[in-house]
Amino acid sequence: TSTSTSTSTPFTTATVMDQENESSSATHKESEAATMRLAAVLSLKAAITRRWKDKGRGKVGATKNLLSEGAKTLLRTSMLNLVLAGRVVAAKEAAEGGSNQHQTDFMIANPNSITREQVELIQDRALQTNVASLLSKIARMDLPLKWQELIPSLVEAVRCAQGAVYQTKHQPQSKQMQQLFQAVIYNAMNSLEAILSEISTQRLLVNKKYRNSIALQYLGSIVESGLMPPFQELESLGNTASNNNEIMRGGGECTAFTLRNATLTSRVVSHMMISSFSKLVEENSPLVDQILTLTHSFLSRWLPCILGDNDDAVYVALRKPLKQLLRVHCDLIVDLQSSHPESFARYLTPFLTLFHSSLMCIVGVPEQERCQRRNVANNNDLGANNSNLRGSTDRFVIAFLSFLANVAGTSKYADLVNAKSEMASFFTPSLVQSLSRTLLQLFSIHISPIQIVHDDDDDDSKEDAVLWQDDPEAFYHWEMNRSSEEDVGCAAQNLFLALAESSFSGDVVLPWLMGFVTNVVSQRLAVELEGGISFGVDPQIIYSALPLGAPCAKLSSGVENASMDLLLQWDAIYTAAGLMGSILENYPGYSFQTWFRVSVGDCLSMLLRQSKQQRTQLPILQRRMIWLLSCNAHQVPISSPFNPFGMLSSSISDQDVCVRLTAVQAMDALLPQCEDAPSLLHSIVEPTAPALYQLVNECAEVESRSSCLDLLSNLICMQTGGSLTNEILNTIVAPLSSIWDNAIDQNLRLKRSVLTILSCIASFVGPESCSVLYPLVLPMIDESFAREENVFLIEEALKIWWVFLRLSRKYDSLLGKLFIHTVELSKDFDHLMILMRVTEHYIILGGATFLNDHATTIQSVLSNVVGEVRPRGTAYIFLVIEALLRSFPVEGGVLLNSCGVLTTFMEACASSYFDDEKCEPDRVIVLYLAALARVTLSRPDTLQLPLKLPSGAVFGEEEFISLYMGKFQVAGNGAHGLLYQKLWALLLLSFYPPCQLASCRNTVLRKSKTIFNIFIGVLKNVHPNGTNLLSYEVGCGDDEESIYIGEDLYEALLQGQRSNDIIISTSLHEAVSTKLNILPNELGQNYQEFCLAENDALQQLKEVILNIEG
C-alpha cells in the first residue's frame, strides 16, 4: 500500500486535467491497484485480530505468533498517515525516523507537493472506511494504555483541515484543494466515529475514565471544527431562503455533502455525549448547553420539513441525508435521557414539548381538523382503516414514543424537585388522556398493514409486515415478534404502560381505561358486527358507539368503514387491558373474573356459537379475547359456566390459523390452573389432540408446529387421577412416527417435541404398558444418538432413555442395544450426569446378562471419564462404580483393573498421600479409596503395590494403610459416611493375620492401637443389623433436572442391591471377634508382646464386642 514520494506526480490543476485525459488502460490499472489496496487492509484487519495481543487463549505455554512492537508501531503510523495524508510510511523510512513527521502539517504547509497517489488514497472511500475499522480494532486493544496520541492526532487533523478550508473558501482556483481538505476532515471523523463506537462498549472502570477524559479534552474542538461548520452552512442557506423547502431546492450537491458531514460529526459528538454526559454536566461544561440547544433548534426547524410531503426532485434527493442527520439527533436525545436520566432532568421540558408536538403532528390532529364522517355501507376492506404513516416502523415516531416512555417510566424524577415540577406541568390530565387515546389507536394500525409506503431511501430493513387475510400464520408470528425498537405499535404499547405505571399519570390512565372496560353495550355491538349477528346497522349508530371517538384523520386512509373502526378500537382496549393485567389487579373495583363473567366470556361464547360461514369480518375480537385469557390466566374462572377450556378447545378447531395459534398459546397458559381439576383435563384431551395434529399439518412455520406439540405434551403430563382411554392414547401416538420421519431441515426441532410427548405418554401409562412403546421409541432414541444432524436431540433423548429405563421392571435386550452409544456420549462431559445415572440403572437392572454383553462398553466409558472430570462429575461416576462393585465384587474389580481405572485410583491416592499440588481433593480421594477397599476385600491379589511416582517417591503398603487411617474421619462425611467407615474398617481388619500380604500384616500390627480405636468407633455407631447404613447416592444438583418418574421401581432395585451388599450384610463385631480369637495362634510367642503393647485398646475393643453380643 506504500507510495513513493520521490517519483509521484505533484497535485496541481494541470495534474487534474492530465488525469482526465488518461487512457482507459491506466484507469483499469488504477482499479486493480484499488482492489489490491483494499484486500491488503482487509488482510491486516484479520491479522491484528489474531496477532496483536495475547488474549490468554489456546494451550498454556504454547508459542504465540504475535506481532513485534516494531511492527505494531509501523502499522499504527502507517494507517494514521493513510487516513490523514494518503500515504503509508515504508519500513525503511520508519527506521530512519520519518514516521515522526506529522503528515497533516506537511500537507497544509505545502499543498502543491501533494502527489496524485495521495489524492487517490484520500478519496478512496472504500479503502478509508476499512482503514477506519482497522484503527478501531487497534484502538480497542491499545487504549487507554498505549497509543494515547491516536485520538488527539485525529482531532488536530480536523482542526487544521477545517482552518485550511476557511482560508481557501473564497479562492475559486482552490476548489480542488477545498475538496481535498474536506475529504481529510471526513476521513478523520469517520475514523473517530469507528474508534469511539468500538471503545464505547468497554465496561471496565479504566475505560470509562478514559472516555470521560477524551470528552472533556476534545469535545470542544470537535464541536468547533467539526460540528458547527456544516450547521452554520445550513443556517446561512436558511438566511437566503424563504423557507426550508427552498433551502433543499437551492442547496444541490453542496447541501448533500454538508448534510453527510454533519451526520458523521454528529455521531462522533453523540458517542462522547452518551458516554460522558453526567461527567460533562458535573464539570459544568458549557458544551452541553451548546450542543443540546443546537440539537433542539435543528430538530424544531427541520422535523416539520422532513415529516411533511414534498415531491420536488431536489428535495427527494436530499431527503435521505437529511433524515439520517435528524435521526442521529433524535437518537442522541433518547439515549442521553435513557443513559443519564438525572443529569438530563434540566432539559426535560423543551424536548418533551418538541417530541410530543412532533408525534401528534404525524399521528394525530386536533379535534376540529378531524374529517366529518359520511354515511357509507360497511365493507370488509381492512385497508380502509390503515395508517397514512410512511410505515409502521417509522424511526421518528418510534424515537418520539421511546423518549416519552423513558421519561414517564423514570421513577427517579419523582424524587428530584425540579424534575418533579416539570413532569407535573407537562403530564397534565388533558394531555395524558389525549396522548393515551392516540396511543390506543396506534395499537391496532398494524393489524392489516396494507398500502404502507416505504421510503426508498430508508437504510433500515423494510418492515416484515404480513396481511392477516393473506397469511394468518405469518401474521401471528410477525405480531408476536414485534420489537419496540422497530415497530410503532409496540413502541406505543410501551409508552402506554409507562404512563399507566407513572406516579405522574397513572391516576389519569387507569380510571380512563376502566371507563371503557365497563362499556358493555359498545363491546356487545362490536361482537355482533364481527360475528355477523347484526346486519345493516346505521354507520352513525356505530360511530356513536366508538369508545375512543372518531379516529384521527392521519390514522385513516379516507375510506370509511365504521364497523372496522369499532373492531379495531376494542382490539386496542383489550390489548391495553391485557398488557396492564398486573397493574389492574391492584386497582379498586377491577376484577378480571367479574369482567369475564359479565362481558368477555359472554362475548367470546357468542362469537364461537356463530357459524364460520356467517363471518363478515376477520375474527379480530375473537382472537384478542382469547389472547386476553392468556394474559390473565391465573384469574380466569375455569369453573365458569362459559367453560374457558371448552371455548379454547373449540377455537383450536377454528378456520383461521391466527385464532387457532392464539388459542394454543392461551390454553398452555391456563393449564396450571387445572392441577386440581383432573376431570376437566380429561374432557378436553379427546377433542383437542386431533385438532392440534390437524393444525400441525396445516402450519408451515416450525414455531407454530412446535407450540402445538408442546401443548399436547403438557396436556398429557398434567393428567393425574383417572385415565385416558386406549383410543385417545392411540390417537395421540399414531401421528408421531410420521412427524418424526418428515422432520427434516428447519423442522428438525419437532423431533424434540415428539420425544417429549412419548416420554409423557410413558409416564402416564406406567411400567405395565410402557414396553408397548419400545418399537416406536427405541429406534428414535437410537437415531438421535447415531445421526450427526440430531446432535441437538441428545439431551432430550438421554432423558427419555432414562425414563423408559426407570419404568422397566426387567431387562430387555431391545433396551440393551442402545447402550453401545454410551462410548461416544461419554466423550462429551456435558452429558455426564444423566449418562452415569443411565449406566448405573443398566447395571442394577440387567445384572449378569447385561455385564456379559456390555463389559467392554463399560470399560470404554469409564476410561473416558475417570480422572478427567471435576469432583462433582466424579461423584456421578461413582454411582456406576458402586453399582458395579456391589453387584459384582470380584468381576467388577477385574473389569476396573483391566481398563486401567484402578491404576488411576491408586496414582491419585499416592499423589494425595505425598501432598502433591495437583492432587485431587479429599472428597474424591475418599471415593477412590472406597472403590479400592471393595476390590481388595474381594480379591487381595488385585492390589498392585508398591507404586513408584514420577517424583521418585514410593507408595507402598504402609503408605496405603496410613492413607486410610488419615482420611478415616473425612470418609464419615455425608449420608453414606458410616457405610464407608465400616467398609474401611473391614479392609483394615482383613490385613490382620492370616493375611497373604506380609507388609500389610506387619503395618496393621504396628498401628493396632489406632486401628482398634477405629473399630471401637464404628462398632458403637453401626447398628448390629446395619439398618442405619445408607448406600452411596448423589442428589440432583441445581444444573440437573429432577426426574421422579419410576422412582418407586428405582428405589426397589436399589433396595434389592443393598440387601446383597456384602459390606452391609457382614457383621463387623463377629468379624473382629473371629480375628481376635485366631491372633494367638497366628502370632505365637509374639502374641504376649502384642497384647502388652496394645493392652488398653485391645481390652476396650473386647468389651465393646461383649456388650454387642450380650
Side-chain angles (χ1 to χ4, degrees):
T1 60
S2 63
T3 57
S4 174
T5 57
S6 60
T7 60
S8 301
T9 306
F11 175 68
T12 63
T13 304
T15 303
V16 176
M17 298 300 295
D18 292 339
Q19 291 177 9
E20 294 176 353
N21 296 326
E22 285 183 344
S23 65
S24 59
S25 61
T27 303
H28 179 69
K29 290 180 179 179
E30 289 178 359
S31 176
E32 288 183 345
T35 302
M36 291 299 294
R37 288 195 296 265
L38 183 59
V41 172
L42 293 174
S43 298
L44 280 173
K45 284 174 63 178
I48 65 167
T49 302
R50 300 188 304 269
R51 300 178 56 189
W52 195 263
K53 65 186 299 185
D54 187 0
K55 299 179 181 179
R57 298 171 183 170
K59 295 183 178 179
V60 178
T63 303
K64 305 293 178 65
N65 187 18
L66 303 177
L67 294 175
S68 66
E69 286 302 318
K72 293 179 184 179
T73 301
L74 176 61
L75 185 55
R76 294 181 187 114
T77 305
S78 296
M79 292 303 101
L80 187 56
N81 277 276
L82 181 57
V83 170
L84 303 182
R87 64 187 297 273
V88 178
V89 180
K92 181 179 179 181
E93 182 182 356
E96 296 173 353
S99 62
N100 294 326
Q101 187 177 15
H102 198 298
Q103 295 303 324
T104 303
D105 291 340
F106 168 78
M107 182 180 66
I108 294 172
N110 190 6
N112 288 329
S113 66
I114 301 173
T115 66
R116 189 178 109 189
E117 288 82 359
Q118 285 180 268
V119 175
E120 182 181 346
L121 293 179
I122 290 173
Q123 296 180 343
D124 188 337
R125 184 61 58 84
L127 176 68
Q128 291 291 342
T129 299
N130 281 279
V131 171
S133 176
L134 187 151
L135 286 174
S136 72
K137 301 298 181 186
I138 297 176
R140 184 178 184 89
M141 292 182 281
D142 275 0
L143 296 176
L145 302 180
K146 297 181 179 179
W147 206 14
Q148 291 92 343
E149 66 271 18
L150 170 61
I151 291 179
S153 297
L154 292 170
V155 175
E156 178 66 12
V158 172
R159 187 190 66 80
C160 294
Q162 187 62 55
V165 170
Y166 283 141
Q167 293 176 7
T168 59
K169 188 172 185 178
H170 301 293
Q171 303 175 12
Q173 67 275 17
S174 301
K175 182 178 180 181
Q176 288 85 4
M177 292 303 302
Q178 291 181 37
Q179 293 175 350
L180 184 62
F181 288 131
Q182 288 172 339
V184 171
I185 295 172
Y186 189 91
N187 294 344
M189 281 295 179
N190 195 30
S191 296
L192 269 175
E193 197 278 331
I195 291 167
L196 293 173
S197 176
E198 187 72 34
I199 67 175
S200 65
T201 60
Q202 296 176 310
R203 293 291 178 259
L204 293 179
L205 180 60
V206 66
N207 301 121
K208 294 180 180 179
K209 289 183 176 180
Y210 176 71
R211 291 197 296 269
N212 287 339
S213 68
I214 288 295
L216 290 172
Q217 292 180 64
Y218 302 111
L219 181 58
S221 297
I222 291 173
V223 170
E224 179 183 356
S225 302
L227 185 66
M228 296 308 298
F231 277 93
Q232 289 170 351
E233 186 172 343
L234 287 174
E235 183 68 22
S236 66
L237 286 172
N239 293 333
T240 59
S242 60
N243 57 54
N244 291 340
N245 289 339
E246 288 189 16
I247 296 175
M248 306 311 296
R249 295 189 185 97
E253 182 180 349
C254 178
T255 304
F257 181 80
T258 300
L259 289 171
R260 284 194 292 269
N261 269 353
T263 301
L264 184 56
T265 308
S266 296
R267 289 197 177 102
V268 173
V269 171
S270 294
H271 285 306
M272 289 189 170
M273 288 281 283
I274 293 169
S275 64
S276 307
F277 184 70
S278 295
K279 186 66 175 178
L280 290 167
V281 172
E282 179 185 332
E283 297 290 333
N284 295 316
S285 172
L287 292 171
V288 174
D289 286 345
Q290 181 183 359
I291 293 170
L292 293 183
T293 300
L294 175 67
T295 296
H296 186 274
S297 175
F298 173 69
L299 292 176
S300 299
R301 180 167 187 176
W302 293 99
L303 275 175
C305 176
I306 202 65
L307 299 177
D309 294 324
N310 192 313
D311 295 329
D312 183 271
V314 177
Y315 172 82
V316 171
L318 295 175
R319 188 165 175 268
K320 177 179 179 179
L322 181 57
K323 281 188 66 175
Q324 290 177 339
L325 180 56
L326 287 167
R327 286 176 180 173
V328 170
H329 283 268
C330 285
D331 290 343
L332 169 62
I333 301 304
V334 173
D335 292 337
L336 278 181
Q337 190 283 326
S338 176
S339 303
H340 310 273
E342 295 177 81
S343 300
F344 192 84
R346 61 194 248 192
Y347 304 101
L348 281 175
T349 298
F351 286 104
L352 278 172
T353 304
L354 172 62
F355 281 16
H356 174 261
S357 61
S358 299
L359 173 66
M360 300 308 291
C361 175
I362 299 175
V363 302
V365 294
E367 182 72 25
Q368 59 269 25
E369 295 182 30
R370 289 182 180 171
C371 298
Q372 295 297 322
R373 298 287 179 170
R374 301 189 304 271
N375 294 331
V376 294
N378 289 324
N379 59 68
N380 191 35
D381 181 13
L382 278 180
N385 295 79
N386 262 296
S387 168
N388 280 332
L389 300 178
R390 293 188 178 275
S392 63
T393 55
D394 190 283
R395 283 281 302 280
F396 291 106
V397 178
I398 293 173
F400 303 151
L401 293 170
S402 298
F403 178 77
L404 293 171
N406 292 339
V407 172
T410 303
S411 59
K412 294 180 181 179
Y413 290 153
D415 301 324
L416 300 176
V417 177
N418 293 336
K420 184 177 182 179
S421 174
E422 292 188 28
M423 292 282 285
S425 299
F426 181 79
F427 288 106
T428 62
S430 59
L431 182 142
V432 171
Q433 285 196 15
S434 173
L435 181 57
S436 299
R437 189 180 303 274
T438 301
L439 294 176
L440 286 186
Q441 295 191 57
L442 284 174
F443 279 15
S444 292
I445 63 171
H446 64 274
I447 282 186
S448 178
I450 195 172
Q451 299 175 350
I452 284 181
V453 179
H454 290 285
D455 297 326
D456 293 334
D457 59 353
D458 197 341
D459 288 338
D460 298 330
S461 58
K462 302 302 185 262
E463 181 181 3
D464 186 21
V466 183
L467 277 173
W468 186 344
Q469 301 98 311
D470 293 342
D471 194 339
E473 182 186 3
F475 172 78
Y476 170 83
H477 290 290
W478 171 79
E479 192 187 48
M480 290 290 292
N481 296 324
R482 289 186 303 154
S483 165
S484 61
E485 297 178 355
E486 301 173 353
D487 179 77
V488 167
C490 195
Q493 293 174 8
N494 279 1
L495 175 52
F496 189 82
L497 284 174
L499 291 174
E501 294 176 333
S502 173
S503 59
F504 299 102
S505 53
D507 293 341
V508 177
V509 175
L510 293 178
W512 179 77
L513 182 63
M514 285 302 300
F516 300 135
V517 170
T518 57
N519 190 344
V520 178
V521 174
S522 180
Q523 292 181 61
R524 191 172 185 88
L525 176 59
V527 168
E528 290 177 354
L529 290 173
E530 178 176 307
I533 301 171
S534 297
F535 298 93
V537 180
D538 188 333
Q540 290 301 324
I541 296 177
I542 299 176
Y543 284 132
S544 66
L546 291 174
L548 300 177
C552 295
K554 290 194 175 184
L555 296 182
S556 173
S557 65
V559 181
E560 304 297 338
N561 188 340
S563 298
M564 188 54 59
D565 285 339
L566 183 61
L567 297 184
L568 293 182
Q569 289 193 12
W570 273 108
D571 175 79
I573 293 170
Y574 287 146
T575 301
L579 294 173
M580 294 172 56
S582 59
I583 303 174
L584 289 173
E585 281 184 29
N586 301 320
Y587 186 78
Y590 173 80
S591 168
F592 182 79
Q593 293 187 7
T594 302
W595 189 24
F596 181 81
R597 292 190 178 98
V598 172
S599 179
V600 175
D602 185 35
C603 290
L604 181 56
S605 178
M606 187 189 309
L607 288 173
L608 292 173
R609 288 196 301 268
Q610 301 306 306
S611 170
K612 307 303 182 291
Q613 286 72 28
Q614 290 181 283
R615 282 181 181 163
T616 58
Q617 305 279 6
L618 280 174
I620 295 173
L621 296 186
Q622 178 184 344
R623 182 242 179 177
R624 185 60 65 190
M625 284 187 280
I626 292 172
W627 172 84
L628 192 59
L629 296 182
S630 66
C631 295
N632 297 272
H634 64 289
Q635 296 188 64
V636 174
I638 60 174
S639 58
S640 167
F642 296 114
N643 187 4
F645 274 97
M647 290 193 291
L648 292 177
S649 181
S650 175
S651 298
I652 294 176
S653 303
D654 195 277
Q655 290 180 341
D656 188 277
V657 174
C658 184
V659 170
R660 296 160 73 183
L661 289 172
T662 307
V664 169
Q665 175 192 9
M667 183 175 286
D668 207 24
L670 261 66
L671 277 183
Q673 307 301 314
C674 297
E675 291 183 1
D676 299 327
S679 59
L680 179 58
L681 278 174
H682 296 157
S683 66
I684 64 174
V685 171
E686 184 172 2
T688 302
L692 287 173
Y693 279 130
Q694 181 64 30
L695 185 55
V696 168
N697 293 331
E698 294 179 17
C699 287
E701 299 290 338
V702 64
E703 290 82 4
S704 307
R705 308 178 76 190
S706 180
S707 64
C708 295
L709 296 177
D710 289 344
L711 173 59
L712 186 57
S713 66
N714 291 338
L715 278 171
I716 301 169
C717 285
M718 295 193 68
Q719 298 294 323
T720 56
S723 62
L724 297 176
T725 64
N726 289 335
E727 183 180 358
I728 296 177
L729 290 173
N730 289 334
T731 300
I732 296 172
V733 171
L736 294 178
S737 179
S738 175
I739 294 174
W740 178 275
D741 294 337
N742 294 319
I744 57 176
D745 299 330
Q746 72 272 15
N747 289 310
L748 270 173
R749 56 186 284 192
L750 296 181
K751 290 186 175 182
R752 182 186 285 117
S753 300
V754 171
L755 292 176
T756 302
I757 291 174
L758 288 171
S759 178
C760 293
I761 292 174
S763 304
F764 182 79
V765 300
E768 291 76 14
S769 305
C770 73
S771 59
V772 176
L773 297 171
Y774 282 1
L776 176 63
V777 174
L778 300 188
M780 292 180 179
I781 298 175
D782 181 75
E783 185 179 329
S784 299
F785 297 145
R787 302 182 64 173
E788 186 175 352
E789 66 268 23
N790 292 334
V791 64
F792 70 99
L793 289 173
I794 289 179
E795 196 68 28
E796 197 65 40
L798 281 168
K799 290 177 184 176
I800 190 173
W801 188 10
W802 192 24
V803 166
F804 274 85
L805 270 175
R806 288 171 69 104
L807 290 173
S808 300
R809 293 188 181 279
K810 61 181 181 179
Y811 178 68
D812 190 294
S813 59
L814 291 176
L815 272 175
K817 291 179 180 179
L818 291 176
F819 192 74
I820 192 65
H821 293 293
T822 55
V823 177
E824 285 300 315
L825 292 172
S826 63
K827 295 177 182 178
D828 185 350
F829 298 151
D830 288 341
H831 312 306
L832 179 73
M833 292 182 285
I834 191 169
L835 187 63
M836 292 300 102
R837 291 193 183 278
V838 166
T839 306
E840 176 207 24
H841 208 100
Y842 264 110
I843 293 172
I844 300 173
L845 182 67
T849 302
F850 170 75
L851 189 64
N852 290 334
D853 293 340
H854 296 284
T856 303
T857 304
I858 296 174
Q859 287 179 321
S860 299
V861 170
L862 293 177
S863 297
N864 287 339
V865 298
V866 171
E868 302 294 333
V869 299
R870 295 179 179 179
R872 179 65 178 171
T874 302
Y876 284 90
I877 294 172
F878 263 78
L879 289 172
V880 177
I881 301 292
E882 284 282 325
L884 183 65
L885 294 179
R886 282 197 305 261
S887 300
F888 310 100
V890 177
E891 297 84 352
V894 173
L895 184 149
L896 295 177
N897 189 45
S898 61
C899 67
V901 169
L902 292 186
T903 301
T904 301
F905 290 170
M906 192 64 76
E907 289 174 349
C909 291
S911 180
S912 176
Y913 178 82
F914 290 109
D915 292 327
D916 188 283
E917 61 180 8
K918 295 182 180 180
C919 69
E920 298 279 8
D922 282 351
R923 55 177 171 159
V924 173
I925 298 302
V926 165
L927 295 175
Y928 288 175
L929 289 172
L932 290 170
R934 283 187 179 274
V935 172
T936 304
L937 281 172
S938 302
R939 287 193 60 175
D941 59 333
T942 307
L943 195 62
Q944 299 178 357
L945 292 174
L947 177 69
K948 189 173 183 180
L949 301 183
S951 62
V954 177
F955 185 72
E957 288 84 351
E958 183 170 353
E959 291 77 13
F960 182 61
I961 293 172
S962 297
L963 187 60
Y964 275 101
M965 296 169 63
K967 304 291 184 184
F968 187 81
Q969 294 302 322
V970 180
N973 296 334
H976 55 273
L978 195 55
L979 174 69
Y980 273 15
Q981 287 186 330
K982 180 182 178 182
L983 168 62
W984 290 18
L986 288 172
L987 175 67
L988 294 173
L989 182 64
S990 70
F991 292 146
Y992 280 90
C995 175
Q996 299 175 356
L997 303 174
S999 55
C1000 291
R1001 180 177 64 248
N1002 296 335
T1003 299
V1004 296
L1005 287 173
R1006 289 197 308 271
K1007 300 176 181 293
S1008 289
K1009 183 177 182 179
T1010 303
I1011 294 175
F1012 285 172
N1013 286 327
I1014 287 175
F1015 292 162
I1016 292 170
V1018 176
L1019 288 171
K1020 287 182 176 180
N1021 291 326
V1022 175
H1023 292 172
N1025 55 7
T1027 54
N1028 63 337
L1029 296 177
L1030 300 179
S1031 297
Y1032 178 81
E1033 62 179 16
V1034 180
C1036 290
D1038 295 337
D1039 54 348
E1040 183 184 12
E1041 182 179 346
S1042 300
I1043 298 180
Y1044 300 104
I1045 300 166
E1047 190 169 13
D1048 293 341
L1049 290 175
Y1050 176 65
E1051 290 298 330
L1053 286 172
L1054 287 179
Q1055 186 61 33
Q1057 193 184 52
R1058 180 180 181 277
S1059 62
N1060 295 326
D1061 187 353
I1062 191 172
I1063 306 304
I1064 295 176
S1065 59
T1066 298
S1067 173
L1068 179 60
H1069 75 273
E1070 292 180 358
V1072 172
S1073 178
T1074 301
K1075 282 284 187 179
L1076 292 179
N1077 290 335
I1078 63 176
L1079 269 181
N1081 294 331
E1082 292 293 331
L1083 295 180
Q1085 60 183 3
N1086 295 325
Y1087 180 71
Q1088 292 299 326
E1089 182 180 351
F1090 172 77
C1091 291
L1092 290 173
E1094 312 296 344
N1095 183 57
D1096 292 341
L1098 181 60
Q1099 292 302 320
Q1100 291 179 24
L1101 179 59
K1102 290 180 178 180
E1103 289 176 5
V1104 170
I1105 294 174
L1106 288 174
N1107 291 335
I1108 293 174
E1109 292 176 345

